[in-house]
Amino acid sequence: MLKEIIDKFYLDKQKNKEQSHFYITDAGKCQRAVFFKFKNAPRVEMEARILRMFDHGDQVHQLIMRPLLSIREIRVVASEVNIGPQELISGRADAILSDGKDLYVLDIKSMNSMIFRNLEEAKEENINQLQLYLHFFKIPKGILLYVNKDSLELKEFLIDYNPNLVQSLLKTLSELKIKIDKNIIPSRLSDYPESWQCKYCQFREICDMGEQNEMNWEDFKKKIEKTE
Ligand code: SF4
């Protein structure tokens, strides 16, 4: 009985999740998948178990933040910091820290043992997000802190602001916004279907029905509706 109630709680939360602006996690992601999110295209729903794991990740972040809030060497200037209002993108960094000399944007990421063990450098998608935080907060240094959810081991990577990377990410998002407004579905990833993004993509089924190159959303929507 409880399992069904708890699962329903999580599954209801993801229903009709229409998107109207970019999240910071969209930076560097497959443009077609982000387009489909904006259009609320049919997707494979995430299992309640996965959604609970996201919640668990949030708890792990709080656990990691606790000592930082009470030690002298580091001052937490702000936690759960939203990027300022602008039209393109929204996001919330875990914290801004000070060591008494410099400021750092902190982003905490949790992962399972297997991924953690093989992690030798910061993941590209996490660097993209952190770079955008550095840009919007105007802070030149950031820290990606990875937590092994199973053993609570930590690994950290210091990241310097890279203005060229940020300009490229922002340009891509601006171009994607134009495609979204004009109903132009972006091309598939060049390494479709081998990409890890395709492997976990909630839109894989409808993406498979389309073409490799750009398509018109209105025409493609009719094709999807016929198969539903
Ligand atoms: S299946 Fe791959 S190419 Fe298609 S939308 Fe998903 S991530 Fe993009």
Side-chain angles (χ1 to χ4, degrees):
M1 177 184 79
L2 282 183
K3 179 189 175 305
E4 284 77 20
I5 292 170
I6 294 168
D7 281 358
K8 186 172 178 308
F9 168 84
Y10 280 98
L11 293 172
D12 283 352
K13 277 209 293 191
Q14 67 169 336
K15 284 211 172 104
N16 296 322
K17 241 183 142 193
E18 208 163 322
Q19 190 169 326
S20 56
H21 60 271
F22 292 114
Y23 296 117
I24 205 133
T25 45
D26 293 330
K29 286 264 177 75
C30 168
Q31 293 194 26
R32 180 175 284 195
V34 177
F35 178 99
F36 284 148
K37 277 202 297 166
F38 268 76
K39 300 296 179 183
N40 205 13
R43 71 186 87 184
V44 175
E45 287 202 343
M46 275 191 214
E47 293 170 50
R49 175 185 67 85
I50 306 280
L51 297 165
R52 274 197 291 279
M53 277 166 62
F54 290 149
D55 255 6
H56 181 239
D58 290 344
Q59 299 293 320
V60 171
H61 292 191
Q62 285 171 23
L63 184 86
I64 298 302
M65 282 301 295
R66 209 182 301 155
L68 294 178
L69 288 162
S70 55
I71 54 175
R72 285 182 174 202
E73 295 89 332
I74 291 287
R75 188 166 64 87
V76 178
V77 178
S79 59
E80 308 256 316
V81 201
N82 286 307
I83 55 178
Q86 31 77 51
E87 284 177 8
L88 195 62
I89 190 160
S90 76
R92 188 165 56 191
D94 288 308
I96 294 176
L97 308 176
S98 165
D99 61 0
K101 200 163 77 84
D102 294 311
L103 290 175
Y104 300 84
V105 178
L106 172 67
D107 210 18
I108 304 171
K109 303 287 178 196
S110 45
M111 52 184 44
N112 65 36
S113 286
M114 201 177 72
I115 301 173
F116 184 87
R117 237 190 334 264
N118 295 324
L119 188 80
E120 287 174 358
E121 54 189 33
K123 293 171 114 193
E124 187 185 353
E125 63 268 30
N126 303 147
I127 294 175
N128 289 341
Q129 289 171 38
L130 184 64
Q131 286 291 346
L132 289 173
Y133 287 134
L134 298 181
H135 177 76
F136 286 112
F137 295 140
K138 297 187 172 40
I139 293 176
K141 288 180 193 173
I143 298 170
L144 276 168
L145 184 61
Y146 290 96
V147 190
N148 180 334
K149 277 192 288 196
D150 308 314
S151 66
L152 297 179
E153 289 167 272
L154 301 173
K155 283 183 187 174
E156 70 183 306
F157 300 92
L158 189 64
I159 309 288
D160 289 320
Y161 178 53
N162 178 340
N164 293 337
L165 174 57
V166 169
Q167 287 317 316
S168 149
L169 291 169
L170 292 175
K171 182 169 175 278
T172 305
L173 288 176
S174 300
E175 288 168 356
L176 176 55
K177 183 73 176 67
I178 293 169
K179 286 185 188 167
I180 290 166
D181 293 342
K182 289 187 170 172
N183 279 337
I184 301 167
I185 304 175
S187 306
R188 287 177 181 141
L189 290 172
S190 57
D191 54 352
Y192 160 93
E194 282 82 25
S195 163
W196 68 267
Q197 294 195 59
C198 300
K199 211 170 135 200
Y200 297 106
C201 180
Q202 291 179 278
F203 301 104
R204 175 65 195 267
E205 202 176 315
I206 59 166
C207 184
D208 285 347
M209 290 167 57
E211 297 158 16
Q212 178 65 26
N213 296 328
E214 291 183 348
M215 298 180 290
N216 176 282
W217 168 238
E218 290 301 337
D219 296 341
F220 187 61
K221 196 162 65 170
K222 284 183 200 135
K223 187 173 172 181
I224 302 170
E225 281 163 359
K226 269 194 209 154
T227 64
E228 279 180 336

